Amino acid sequence: CNITFNDDDLDRYHRIGLKYERDGKKYQSIIMKFKSWKSRKEFYSSRPKAFDKGIMKPGRLPFSVAFDLTKRRYLLLKSAKEKIKDFNNISHVFADLNCSLGVKFKDEKVFYFNSLSELGNILARS
């Protein structure tokens, strides 16, 4: 997959979930803990783009990287997604590389928030 990666960058890793099969090959998800934020960022930045406009590129393995938010931040992100549904000028809410939560407007402006009240203040200004 052309990933820039050293085994020394990992603190630990574990297989998780059930095995699954795709195109006759068996796979299983793993979770990894990096020794440093720098290692995690480099790994994330070098991950391949396995899909091009929703279509898997030929020869690429099914591969994705996702960050694991804390339960509190995950629930905050989920609540924020519900809250922005009534706002036509908002593109989406997201968690970035640092697991910071943000809201992106259709005019490309981005604002970050740490609570629903902060999100409410951002939405009130729009």
Side-chain angles (χ1 to χ4, degrees), residues 6 45 62 76 88:
N6 296 315
S45 298
L76 178 57
N88 294 331

Side-chain angles (χ1 to χ4, degrees), residues 5-78:
F5 181 72
N6 296 315
D7 289 341
D8 295 338
D9 292 337
L10 282 182
D11 183 32
R12 63 182 148 232
Y13 59 94
H14 303 281
R15 294 184 186 276
I16 59 172
L18 300 173
K19 291 181 181 179
Y20 59 95
E21 193 172 321
R22 183 179 290 164
D23 298 330
K25 295 181 182 179
K26 291 186 180 181
Y27 300 96
Q28 187 173 10
S29 298
I30 63 169
I31 188 168
M32 301 185 305
K33 181 180 182 227
F34 289 90
K35 287 184 179 176
S36 70
W37 182 85
K38 181 183 175 197
S39 298
R40 183 188 76 155
K41 182 182 176 205
E42 287 174 0
F43 177 81
Y44 184 79
S45 298
S46 70
R47 75 197 191 289
K49 301 289 184 194
F51 293 90
D52 185 19
K53 295 184 182 178
I55 301 168
M56 186 178 286
K57 292 180 181 177
R60 296 289 180 139
L61 294 174
F63 184 83
S64 67
V65 174
F67 291 113
D68 194 14
L69 298 174
T70 62
K71 185 175 183 179
R72 184 187 76 79
R73 294 190 72 71
Y74 171 76
L75 293 173
L76 178 57
L77 180 63
K78 188 175 175 181

Side-chain angles (χ1 to χ4, degrees), residues 84 89-94 102-113 122:
I84 66 155
N89 60 336
I90 295 179
S91 175
H92 61 280
V93 294
F94 62 92
V103 59
K104 184 173 183 177
F105 286 78
K106 290 187 177 172
D107 64 0
E108 301 297 319
K109 290 182 183 175
V110 174
F111 297 94
Y112 290 91
F113 61 93
I122 294 167

Side-chain angles (χ1 to χ4, degrees), residues 112-126:
Y112 290 91
F113 61 93
N114 288 310
S115 67
L116 284 178
S117 62
E118 286 181 14
L119 177 62
N121 292 338
I122 294 167
L123 297 176
R125 288 187 274 164
S126 64

